[in-house]
Amino acid sequence: MMRIGVLASGRGSNLQALIEAWKLGELNGELVAVGSDHEEAQALKRAVEAGIPHGAFPLSRFSSRQEQEKAILTWLREQKVELLALAGFMRVLSKEFLQDIQIPVLNIHPSLLPSFQGLHAQRQALDYGVKISGCTVHFVDEGLDSGPIIAQEAVLVLPGDTEDSLSARILEAEHRLYPEVVGWVAGGRIKRNGRIVVKI
Ligand code: GRF
């Protein structure tokens, strides 16, 4: 069973989907740590309810971003995390953090990458006028939503969609896809060769 950690800044609905999959035994691992950069994050409350060790690392408690990241990394190591899943973590992790951590780091993004990287991906998709969007689970590298893609799920953009309605439809797909893909990675079913990721 792989020891899985999650970093989340806010609502934590993807964390909740991971918690539910874990409780159903579908994750090939166990959730052992939930960290946040916001003390008040709903994600931390979800961790408390699920009985998962949690930690808050608000920037205000540190002298720099670097010190904040160091504290997060030390804590993840203390929890012996072997796989890290970002779930709405609103900070771009530094190159140093990603080099030092030496475990796979995953992220879920609410668009079909490489389209619409960064913030407000659903609004970007609507403004661009695409007819299909979706979500992407990818390995995290030092760029912005630029790491190797593991899996994607397409979602229709419907006439009259608003940012809220499209976000809600994409979120349903996220909640299906993320636990499934975390389970693949935790179960050793992913092979990576440069940018190309294959499920075995
Ligand atoms: C999701 O849309 C995710 O794709 C993005 O941030 C949002 C987090 O939502 N990275 P939640 O906190 O999991 O509810």
Side-chain angles (χ1 to χ4, degrees):
M1 289 295 251
M2 210 170 225
R3 295 174 65 82
I4 301 167
V6 176
L7 294 180
S9 297
R11 181 176 58 181
S13 71
N14 278 288
L15 167 65
Q16 193 64 45
L18 292 168
I19 291 172
E20 277 153 33
W22 168 45
K23 299 221 155 134
L24 290 171
E26 292 171 354
L27 227 46
N28 291 317
E30 45 180 340
L31 291 172
V32 296
V34 173
S36 183
D37 54 343
H38 286 287
E39 237 149 350
E40 300 303 320
Q42 207 190 329
L44 290 178
K45 300 193 178 91
R46 296 180 194 268
V48 173
E49 265 171 43
I52 306 168
H54 57 282
F57 303 86
L59 186 56
S60 58
R61 245 194 253 157
F62 301 93
S63 55
S64 65
R65 288 257 163 90
Q66 209 183 358
E67 291 303 313
Q68 180 193 30
E69 279 195 345
K70 267 193 199 159
I72 294 174
L73 186 56
T74 302
W75 183 70
L76 292 172
R77 283 195 178 130
E78 283 164 6
Q79 308 302 318
K80 300 190 165 50
V81 169
E82 298 168 296
L83 170 63
L84 180 62
L86 308 184
F89 188 63
M90 301 308 283
R91 295 242 161 271
V92 176
L93 293 166
S94 70
K95 189 173 161 186
E96 290 74 27
F97 179 97
L98 292 168
Q99 271 168 5
D100 289 351
I101 193 163
Q102 296 197 335
I103 59 172
V105 183
L106 310 182
N107 183 43
I108 181 141
H109 182 77
S111 75
L112 295 178
L113 291 171
S115 293
F116 315 126
Q117 293 157 318
L119 292 175
H120 306 297
Q122 304 93 331
R123 194 195 302 160
Q124 292 184 53
L126 280 176
D127 289 348
Y128 200 91
V130 295
K131 306 302 177 218
I132 297 174
S133 191
C135 55
T136 302
V137 180
H138 62 94
F139 286 111
V140 174
D141 67 7
E142 50 194 89
L144 180 64
D145 302 317
S146 58
I149 291 171
I150 308 171
Q152 299 183 298
E153 183 170 329
V155 170
L156 288 180
V157 180
L158 300 177
D161 255 340
T162 61
E163 189 179 355
D164 281 352
S165 65
L166 178 60
S167 299
R169 197 173 312 114
I170 293 176
L171 201 59
E172 279 181 36
E174 294 184 38
H175 296 165
R176 273 193 298 276
L177 190 66
Y178 209 15
E180 193 178 3
V181 174
V182 169
W184 294 346
V185 177
R189 298 180 58 197
I190 289 298
K191 234 186 168 167
R192 178 177 163 182
N193 183 8
R195 279 210 67 87
I196 307 305
V197 179
V198 186
K199 190 180 144 218
I200 46 172

